[in-house]
Amino acid sequence: MPEYLKLSIFLILFYGPFIFFLLIPNNSFFAHLSIKQVQYEICSRLPVGFAQHKNIFDCKPPSMTVAIIKPDGMPHQHDIVSQLQEHGFSIKYDKTLNATTDQIKEWYFDKLDASYYPELERYLTRSEIRVMQLWRIEAIPYLRQFIGPTNPHTARQLYPKSIRALYGTNVQENAIHASDSEESAEREFNIFFQQQEAAVLNTRRFD
């Protein structure tokens, strides 16, 4: 059987129901995925044997982002990590720590003059956080949509299956942070992982 015919049959049988499910008009998080995001879902799940056909879907290589589970999200960390895995994220570096005030200042350097910064610093240093370097196709925009809006109340209205809708309390205690750009992801990773540490860290992967 020609290779292109095998690929066509595989895509119809395996991905047809998946795409249909994503496009069902309901109030779930997945109902808001665009056609381009569906394309990313297909690319991220394309089996190794069909890797040579990724050009058909204009598949991009995986990119990096950083997710930080905040103190109020830590009781739900295992559920959050499971959801990340289910949505195609691989965790290359994974670290649980008590953040220092210096690390928080470097992380939120642009908020140091804000009236709410002292409370923000107390919140983020009150107990452990979990910092993860994640990889996925279109990692940054996908993760930011997946975690939902900053305000959990808004998230529950618009994206009730998002992480902040499920586990967030208010604008500050909203369970999780996600980098908003490649530059931010690189900077935030370097704040919490020393170069030498990252080189020898016993990494936890979800492939």
Side-chain angles (χ1 to χ4, degrees):
M1 181 182 297
E3 190 68 22
Y4 74 89
L5 185 56
K6 289 194 293 184
L7 176 63
S8 299
I9 294 173
F10 172 82
L11 292 175
I12 292 171
L13 294 179
F14 189 82
Y15 289 113
F18 173 73
I19 295 174
F20 176 76
F21 172 76
L22 288 178
L23 298 179
I24 292 176
N26 57 35
N27 197 34
S28 71
F29 167 77
F30 297 105
H32 299 275
L33 289 178
S34 67
I35 295 299
K36 195 168 186 63
Q37 288 168 320
V38 172
Q39 174 194 25
Y40 298 150
E41 290 292 333
I42 293 175
C43 289
S44 65
R45 289 167 169 78
L46 201 62
V48 175
F50 290 94
Q52 69 270 30
H53 299 293
K54 287 192 173 185
N55 61 313
I56 295 175
F57 302 101
D58 190 27
C59 293
K60 298 179 180 179
S63 57
M64 184 270 281
T65 190
V66 169
I68 302 176
I69 301 178
K70 300 177 180 180
D72 62 300
M74 287 298 284
H76 312 287
Q77 60 175 309
H78 299 301
D79 291 331
I80 292 172
V81 169
S82 293
Q83 291 178 52
L84 292 171
Q85 178 186 1
E86 290 170 3
H87 287 271
F89 286 98
S90 294
I91 303 178
K92 185 174 183 181
Y93 295 105
D94 185 355
K95 182 178 184 180
T96 299
L97 72 153
N98 289 103
T100 66
T101 56
D102 287 342
Q103 287 173 321
I104 302 304
K105 284 182 170 66
E106 192 173 355
W107 178 8
Y108 284 101
F109 71 96
D110 56 337
K111 304 291 193 300
L112 293 176
D113 295 329
S115 60
Y116 59 82
Y117 178 79
E119 179 59 30
L120 176 65
E121 184 179 282
R122 284 192 292 271
Y123 156 58
L124 292 171
T125 56
R126 76 185 186 195
S127 58
E128 290 182 330
I129 63 173
R130 184 169 177 177
V131 185
M132 296 171 287
Q133 187 195 75
L134 307 178
W135 288 81
R136 186 192 186 281
I137 295 172
E138 293 289 322
I140 291 173
Y142 190 94
L143 181 61
R144 288 183 65 80
Q145 180 165 346
F146 179 54
I147 68 173
T150 302
N151 189 327
H153 177 70
T154 303
R156 282 188 279 273
Q157 291 180 323
L158 299 179
Y159 305 104
K161 299 296 184 181
S162 65
I163 292 176
R164 284 171 170 165
L166 294 172
Y167 308 117
T169 302
N170 53 51
V171 173
Q172 179 168 279
E173 300 193 18
N174 56 10
I176 191 169
H177 164 85
S179 302
D180 60 6
S181 67
E182 292 181 7
E183 294 76 15
S184 294
E186 189 70 28
R187 182 178 62 82
E188 290 162 0
F189 177 78
N190 290 332
I191 290 172
F192 296 103
F193 290 92
Q194 299 296 324
Q195 185 174 6
Q196 300 88 338
E197 178 186 24
V200 299
L201 187 66
N202 181 19
T203 62
R204 182 180 305 173
R205 291 180 178 271
F206 294 90
D207 296 324

